[in-house]
Amino acid sequence: GDVGTMDRVARTVGGGAMVAAVALAPVAPALLVGGLAMGGYLLATALAGTCLGYRLMGRSTCPREAR
């Protein structure tokens, strides 16, 4: 994967907070859908350990292996 430990923690906290905020707050339907989608994406990438955006940019937040 390309998502390191601290990145996974941040995605989990941020995604969970985003989902909770839009689920509990009275927001417009478009914001509800967008917030759930973005929060869900953050949670999914934290769980999977890989991020499409990082892959497309050739980035990684995982530590490099010693050779």
Side-chain angles (χ1 to χ4, degrees), residues 2-30:
D2 54 10
V3 178
T5 303
M6 289 305 296
D7 196 355
R8 290 176 95 163
V9 169
R11 287 168 182 265
T12 301
V13 171
M18 189 176 296
V19 168
V22 297
L24 298 174
V27 295

